[in-house]
Amino acid sequence: MSAPVSPDAAAATLLAGPATDLAAAVREGRVSARAVTQAALARIDAVDPVLNAFTDVTPERALAEADALDAARAAGQALGPLAGVPFAAKNLFDLKGLPTRAGAKINRDRPPAARDATLVERMNAAGAVCLGGLNMGEYAYDFTGENRHDGRSANPHDPAHMSGGSSGGSGSAVGGKLVPLALGSDTNGSIRVPSSFCGIFGLKPTYGRLSRARSFPFVASLDHLGPFARHVGDLAATYDALQGPDADDPALADAPVTPTLATLDSPGDLKVAVLGGWFARQGTPQAYTAVARAAKALGATRTVELPEVERARAAAYLISMAEGAALHEGRLRARPDDFDPAVRERLLAGAVLPAMWIARAQIFRRWFRDRALELFADCDVLIAPSTPVPAPRGGQTTFVLDGREMLVRPNIGIYTQPISFIGLPVAAAPIPTDDPLPIGVQLIAAPWREDKALQAARVLERAGVALAPEPVL
């Protein structure tokens, strides 16, 4: 007869598995939300000194939320779809009682937030338990996961390597099994890059789909918020919980809520193609092997091309620099020495860009979006690499792409920037390699068709092609 499983052991086991299974166990009373929260906090205490994913751990808040869930269940109340699931948020999301850092030294002088960000509130409303704020690149202007003020968030598959940015703490925390779910942001690739490096699933929704209210901006016309998870079902359940109207975000589209979890396993005849051209150059063999494996599993036999992708990436850079400089002008004048010099110099360069360049970039943006939409006339999903390489080593400044030595920091996003530039939804899927470090692919869909991107990710997960590998810690 086997020994009985202790509540603590049961909570730790559930914590390591799918979030939807954990939530079902909490709703059914097989484990308490408090026990799960305590297990997550213990995991953070044990592993985060190496990963440095968290900048703010909030045990009092977390335990109070967990106790409220347990009390509600004891009173016979129904619990939400994410009941008792621990999560954390990139520290550009407002968390009540904490200054919203946005990865910056300057922001620590801000007063504590009076209210949570809308997406944090929606996670709580679905029953998820907030454990704190996560490390990120300064003002989200980063692809590496390295922060001059808070240190770098490390890769959960080899801490000597990068987690990716700017949502590096989010990628590290989910990939390292500190929390099953996390929230991040993606302006030029900051959900998809950490997903690729840390071996997890991520979703960059359509621009205007999820509320950005009470989050610190970077580039208003490019900023997206979205979730990370280790399982596609968890990603879909979280995305479903985050949808809805919000008068506090004027950029939020007036689009109906479209649940995705219920149709996740009913993809129908998905029409999938591989993006060639720009997306088939400059990467390493690992990047293209990952695309080939995904294409085979999804039955993709066609290759299609987007025109002028290099110009789209350049236009995205110009818009990012100009809007970022406008946002930070006052801080650049008042406290220039408190910026990471690499961030400061790019923002200062943005401040002197000719207005004509920005106007032309915006005109081109519409043209490029129209060309992308033409591809979806007879295609549901496009496959492309997420990153040209698996995670570089921490502190690495150059790498070789297509026979040329290039700077790491600006060139990690060569495949992600052209897609967020036009606001398309993307599910990022992790593809294990023969090396300890994974790499990811982008599953790109037409606007408002997050369901198709998630269905494609589910097909890959079911086939064993896309999965979140076990962390080393």
Side-chain angles (χ1 to χ4, degrees), residues 57-412:
V57 181
T58 55
E60 295 84 2
R61 169 179 175 155
L63 290 169
E65 290 177 2
D67 289 344
L69 288 167
D70 290 335
R73 186 192 176 279
Q77 299 175 25
L79 302 184
L82 301 177
V85 178
F87 80 99
K90 184 175 183 176
N91 69 34
L92 58 67
F93 288 79
D94 283 2
L95 294 177
K96 184 178 179 180
L98 295 177
T100 303
R101 297 183 185 222
K105 177 180 178 181
I106 296 170
N107 276 39
R108 294 173 208 207
D109 296 339
R110 290 162 62 91
R115 180 181 171 186
D116 288 336
T118 292
L119 295 194
V120 174
E121 291 180 343
R122 289 182 177 170
M123 292 292 286
N124 281 155
V129 174
C130 183
L131 270 63
L134 296 166
N135 203 352
M136 61 175 283
E138 181 175 288
Y139 290 127
Y141 211 164
D142 168 63
F143 279 136
T144 66
E146 297 178 343
N147 185 291
R148 183 180 179 87
H149 316 295
D150 294 311
R152 71 179 185 92
S153 48
N155 192 296
H157 306 291
D158 184 341
H161 286 253
M162 294 176 180
S163 63
S166 63
S167 308
S170 302
S172 186
V174 174
K177 290 190 169 183
L178 305 187
V179 287
L181 305 173
L183 299 178
S185 70
D186 188 310
T187 302
N188 287 300
S190 293
I191 287 174
R192 292 158 289 160
V193 167
S195 294
S196 180
F197 286 179
C198 295
I200 57 176
F201 294 93
L203 180 67
K204 184 199 80 63
T206 307
Y207 181 83
R209 166 57 91 177
L210 297 183
S211 174
R212 302 178 302 186
R214 295 179 297 284
S215 66
F216 199 89
F218 172 28
V219 180
S221 70
L222 295 174
D223 288 344
H224 308 66
L225 305 183
F228 295 85
R230 292 178 56 83
H231 303 274
V232 179
D234 296 345
L235 197 67
T238 305
Y239 170 66
D240 289 355
L242 296 175
Q243 293 184 58
D246 184 7
D248 290 339
D249 181 359
L252 193 65
D254 184 17
V257 172
T258 55
T260 59
L261 184 60
T263 61
L264 200 57
D265 292 312
S266 304
D269 183 21
L270 276 180
K271 294 176 289 185
V272 183
V274 174
L275 271 179
W278 173 266
F279 298 95
R281 299 195 298 269
Q282 303 183 83
T284 58
Q286 295 100 315
Y288 298 129
T289 297
V291 169
R293 291 184 64 200
K296 182 178 180 180
L298 287 165
T301 58
R302 288 195 304 141
T303 297
V304 297
E305 287 195 32
L306 264 174
E308 300 286 0
V309 179
E310 187 170 12
R311 183 175 294 180
R313 183 171 176 245
Y317 256 122
L318 292 176
I319 292 168
S320 296
M321 293 169 67
E323 288 193 32
L327 175 68
H328 292 289
E329 179 187 8
R331 282 174 284 272
L332 288 166
R333 291 181 183 277
R335 299 179 63 173
D337 293 339
D338 288 333
F339 281 84
D340 177 339
V343 173
R344 181 186 63 226
E345 298 311 312
R346 280 179 289 165
L347 291 173
L348 288 172
V352 296
L353 289 175
M356 183 181 296
W357 291 10
I358 308 306
R360 287 177 175 171
Q362 294 288 14
I363 292 169
F364 171 77
R365 187 180 189 178
R366 170 60 67 178
W367 180 90
F368 185 67
R369 184 176 186 271
D370 289 343
R371 301 293 78 74
L373 294 183
E374 290 171 358
L375 296 180
F376 292 109
D378 60 353
C379 190
D380 297 312
V381 174
L382 303 172
I383 309 173
S386 290
T387 54
V389 296
R393 294 186 66 84
Q396 183 176 333
T397 57
T398 64
F399 51 16
V400 176
L401 298 181
D402 203 21
R404 293 184 298 158
E405 186 174 30
M406 304 176 73
L407 292 173
V408 166
R409 190 164 185 166
N411 288 297
I412 290 172

Side-chain angles (χ1 to χ4, degrees), residues 429-443:
I431 311 294
T433 68
D434 293 333
D435 301 319
L437 295 170
I439 199 167
V441 297
Q442 299 182 82
L443 303 168

